[in-house]
Amino acid sequence: MAAPSAAPHNAEPALPDERKKQQLPPKSYADAVEQEPPANGTNGTNDANGTNVTNGNGTEHDDSKQTGHMASVLRIVDTGAPETKDKQEGRPQFERQESKHEYSAAKGLDDTPRTPPRNKHRKTGSKSSNSSQDKPSADEKESKSNGSDKPKKPKAKDHRKDTTVFETVGEQNGSKLISVKTTGTYEKQIQKDQKEAPKYEIGEGITSGKKPGQRWERSAIRFAPLNVPLHRRLQTLVVLFHTLCIAICVSAFCFLCAIPLFWPLLIPYMIYCMSSKASTSGTMSHRSEFLRSLPVWSLFASYFPARLHRTQELPPTRKYIFGYHPHGIISMGAFAAFSTEALGFSQLFPGIKNALLTLDSNFRIPIYRDYALAMGLASVSKESCENLLSRGGPNKEGMGRAITIVVGGARESLDAQPYQLRLVLKRRKGFVKMAIRTGADLVPVLAFGENDLYDQFQPDSHPKIHKFQLIVKKLLGFTIPLFHARGVFNYDVGLMPYRRPMNIVVGRPIRVVQSPHPDQEDIDRVHERYIQELERIWEAWKDDFAPNRKEELQVLE
């Protein structure tokens, strides 16, 4: 065992019994901590386990004979290392602020609740212990009054602009937590640096492949949602029936022909269809006002929606020929306005009985011919027009009768492009001659939006297809435009027309003088007046009913 080191002569004993023998006052734990250590740093202990202790007089005491409590004291000793400078030239300094919760090595975070919770009482022991911890000791107060505490170092300041400053820590035991507060321009500087950072575009420093799933994101087909209101579903159903009416009737007839049980009924029916003159007689005996006034046609008209407008009242004591323009693809507006009561034709023109004319070949289709006759349709042949305008009415001479002719015909349907209005009219003068021969007034009708219901191939971009369509028109009397619009459950592909508004404007009547053999000069004069009235309607209402037009009205051929 190593020889015990001698303690300094001025060292005071730390044990209570030793201090009592030497008539020294009791020494607290804080005083023991603040006591200066001996020169050799041994504090009077001999070995690691402290078996031999030296008192102030230099006498040794055996640990086995000592009955009092011996306390071990940990002392934080200043090593004398030079302090770091508050300012350094190469790095910015920051301002420190105290945290709301003060931390000390003895107490930890001071999270003691300031007020007791409701319906609960604090225990006396815990309260006293908390108060004893919060209250400073008398020695600490004395030391503060004597100025023994080390003064806090002032905040380090940086006179440079836009820098952040730390506060210097004042105590070595870390009794305070310091927060960092940045300057006002710190966030702006970060945003500026991000904007000024170099950005690499594709092709400069990197080559990327195609983006997966991009084709599905921009799919050309937009499907209808499932939560579509019921009335819109019903509108679609009625328009679908009208669009596919001929196909439905032909399919139903073929199905009945496949059943031999129906042959005794089908054979006489076919003979009747071939010999019937109901479409040209002009009597309108098959016309059903009940069928024309069904509420389902209101659903048909509200699908687009369509509206009928008049510019002048028409007396029921005259005959009329309504010229409908343009033809469009299927002439949906003409059917809604003049073949049904959905748009209120009888209310706008009371006392006038109108018939919509179509191709005579449509009245050779089984089942469909009966449906068309019940809706008031008739043949567009010369015989049918003369019979309709010379029979019936109050005087049985056709007064109060009217017919509607889609003047442009199948040829005009090939030029039906959305947001354009091209009329095939310059060489169409047969209806003018018929008006003069029968004494009927001409009433031009312009349907804004009829051409917007379908899309079809452009004649300029597909000249061969357009030429083939003209050949079919010349041989068969009708043509097949290659069109498309929307479907039943989507908005981009199908044979259903688009939901685009139609406004059918009925112009002012052009009075004619009846002549059984009209001159060509009279025909040209009335025809010119008719075109002028159409142009007047276009100029008057194009801004209201055709705001998205691509071009002005054009009269062709």
Side-chain angles (χ1 to χ4, degrees):
M1 181 180 296
S5 301
H9 296 285
N10 58 352
E12 295 183 358
L15 297 179
D17 294 340
E18 294 294 334
R19 296 181 63 86
K20 188 176 181 181
K21 290 180 180 180
Q22 298 182 14
Q23 296 181 357
L24 295 175
K27 193 173 185 179
S28 63
Y29 178 80
D31 295 336
V33 171
E34 295 294 335
Q35 183 180 358
E36 292 293 336
N40 54 4
T42 57
N43 198 19
T45 55
N46 187 16
D47 51 4
N49 55 6
T51 54
N52 294 328
V53 182
T54 306
N55 59 7
N57 299 329
T59 59
E60 294 183 1
H61 297 272
D62 188 57
D63 186 38
S64 59
K65 296 180 181 180
Q66 184 68 34
T67 58
H69 177 71
M70 179 179 290
S72 298
V73 178
L74 179 61
R75 175 73 177 180
I76 300 176
V77 181
D78 188 5
T79 58
E83 295 182 359
T84 58
K85 295 183 179 180
D86 293 337
K87 290 185 179 181
Q88 292 184 5
E89 292 292 332
R91 54 186 298 184
Q93 298 183 0
F94 299 88
E95 180 181 355
R96 291 175 176 255
Q97 295 181 353
E98 288 193 8
S99 174
K100 294 181 179 181
H101 300 284
E102 187 174 348
Y103 180 89
S104 64
K107 299 179 182 179
L109 282 174
D110 187 10
D111 55 356
T112 306
R114 298 293 181 253
T115 57
R118 288 184 178 179
N119 300 328
K120 292 185 179 180
H121 300 280
R122 294 188 179 181
K123 295 182 180 180
T124 307
S126 61
K127 183 177 180 180
S128 61
S129 62
N130 292 334
S131 62
S132 63
Q133 291 180 0
D134 295 335
K135 293 181 180 180
S137 61
D139 297 336
E140 291 177 353
K141 291 182 179 180
E142 183 179 359
S143 61
K144 289 181 179 180
S145 62
N146 296 334
S148 60
D149 279 351
K150 297 180 181 179
K152 294 184 178 179
K153 296 183 181 180
K155 295 181 180 180
K157 296 182 180 180
D158 194 342
H159 298 287
R160 291 173 295 178
K161 294 184 178 180
D162 300 334
T163 57
T164 306
V165 180
F166 280 109
E167 181 185 3
T168 306
V169 179
E171 297 184 7
Q172 297 181 359
N173 58 356
S175 62
K176 294 182 180 180
L177 291 179
I178 307 301
S179 61
V180 180
K181 180 180 179 181
T182 58
T183 59
T185 58
Y186 179 72
E187 296 292 338
K188 296 182 180 180
Q189 184 65 28
I190 292 180
Q191 296 177 1
K192 183 179 179 180
D193 295 342
Q194 292 177 354
K195 291 181 180 179
E196 295 178 355
K199 297 180 180 180
Y200 298 96
E201 297 182 357
I202 296 177
E204 292 184 357
I206 188 173
T207 303
S208 304
K210 66 178 183 179
K211 181 181 178 181
Q214 192 173 6
R215 183 178 178 183
W216 292 96
E217 293 177 0
R218 60 186 188 198
S219 176
I221 300 178
R222 299 169 297 164
F223 290 94
L226 298 178
N227 56 346
V228 175
L230 178 61
H231 71 278
R232 292 179 67 87
R233 291 297 188 190
L234 295 177
Q235 292 170 359
T236 304
L237 180 62
V238 176
V239 175
L240 178 65
F241 169 78
H242 176 73
T243 305
L244 303 178
C245 188
I246 295 179
I248 293 174
C249 293
V250 172
S251 301
F253 180 76
C254 295
F255 176 76
L256 295 176
C257 290
I259 303 175
L261 183 63
F262 291 98
W263 288 356
L265 299 177
L266 294 178
I267 293 175
Y269 176 74
M270 288 297 299
I271 297 174
Y272 166 75
C273 291
M274 298 295 294
S275 60
S276 176
K277 300 294 182 179
S279 60
T280 59
S281 63
T283 59
M284 296 185 184
S285 57
H286 293 72
R287 181 187 177 110
S288 173
E289 296 296 336
F290 170 76
L291 186 61
R292 288 168 54 93
S293 302
L294 286 178
V296 295
W297 303 122
S298 179
L299 292 173
F300 176 86
S302 60
Y303 171 88
F304 304 100
R307 295 291 301 275
L308 181 63
H309 312 273
R310 77 176 183 191
T311 57
Q312 185 175 334
E313 294 183 2
L314 302 179
T317 56
R318 300 284 299 177
K319 308 173 187 178
Y320 302 98
I321 296 179
F322 289 85
Y324 185 86
H325 307 272
H327 183 280
I329 301 297
I330 310 180
S331 300
M332 293 287 187
F335 179 82
F338 303 108
S339 188
T340 70
E341 291 296 331
L343 302 183
F345 180 86
S346 60
Q347 284 79 21
L348 292 176
F349 307 101
I352 298 177
K353 194 174 185 179
N354 190 11
L356 179 63
L357 305 185
T358 183
L359 294 176
D360 188 67
S361 58
N362 290 330
F363 297 95
R364 300 290 180 261
I365 302 174
I367 303 178
Y368 178 76
R369 67 175 299 277
D370 299 287
Y371 165 73
L373 290 173
M375 294 299 298
L377 273 72
S379 174
V380 75
S381 62
K382 179 180 178 181
E383 179 186 2
S384 175
C385 294
E386 290 180 348
N387 291 334
L388 288 169
L389 295 175
S390 60
R391 297 180 182 181
N395 57 355
K396 304 300 180 182
E397 293 181 359
M399 293 302 174
R401 285 286 186 92
I403 60 175
T404 301
I405 302 175
V406 185
V407 179
R411 173 65 184 86
E412 193 175 77
S413 66
L414 298 179
D415 294 324
Q417 298 292 337
Y419 310 111
Q420 298 177 3
L421 192 57
R422 299 177 181 178
L423 305 182
V424 179
L425 186 58
K426 288 184 178 180
R427 295 166 56 183
R428 301 292 175 104
K429 300 180 180 180
F431 71 102
V432 179
K433 186 177 181 179
M434 178 62 64
I436 298 175
R437 289 178 59 182
T438 59
D441 297 340
L442 287 173
V443 183
V445 180
L446 193 60
F448 293 88
E450 180 70 51
N451 287 345
D452 303 341
L453 303 182
Y454 288 95
D455 292 324
Q456 68 168 327
F457 289 103
Q458 292 281 353
D460 299 336
S461 58
H462 301 82
K464 293 183 179 180
I465 296 178
H466 184 66
K467 185 178 181 180
F468 174 76
Q469 290 173 332
L470 293 178
I471 294 175
V472 173
K473 166 68 174 59
K474 186 176 181 180
L475 296 177
L476 303 178
F478 64 92
T479 185
I480 306 174
L482 300 179
F483 64 92
H484 72 90
R486 56 160 293 173
V488 179
F489 301 108
N490 69 84
Y491 300 120
D492 301 288
V493 179
L495 301 179
M496 292 285 295
Y498 291 121
R499 287 181 178 266
R500 293 172 181 172
M502 285 191 299
N503 291 275
I504 304 164
V505 181
V506 180
R508 295 178 296 193
I510 299 172
R511 286 293 188 97
V512 298
V513 179
Q514 187 175 1
S515 174
H517 304 285
D519 296 336
Q520 187 65 36
E521 183 180 353
D522 294 337
I523 296 174
D524 295 341
R525 177 176 53 83
V526 175
H527 185 266
E528 185 65 25
R529 291 178 56 192
Y530 183 86
I531 294 178
Q532 291 177 359
E533 179 62 19
L534 277 176
E535 292 176 346
R536 186 196 68 81
I537 297 174
W538 169 260
E539 294 295 334
W541 302 103
K542 64 181 181 179
D543 293 333
D544 296 331
F545 299 145
N548 300 323
R549 61 187 181 278
K550 296 180 179 178
E551 60 184 24
E552 298 297 322
L553 173 65
Q554 297 184 19
V555 180
L556 308 177
E557 297 183 10

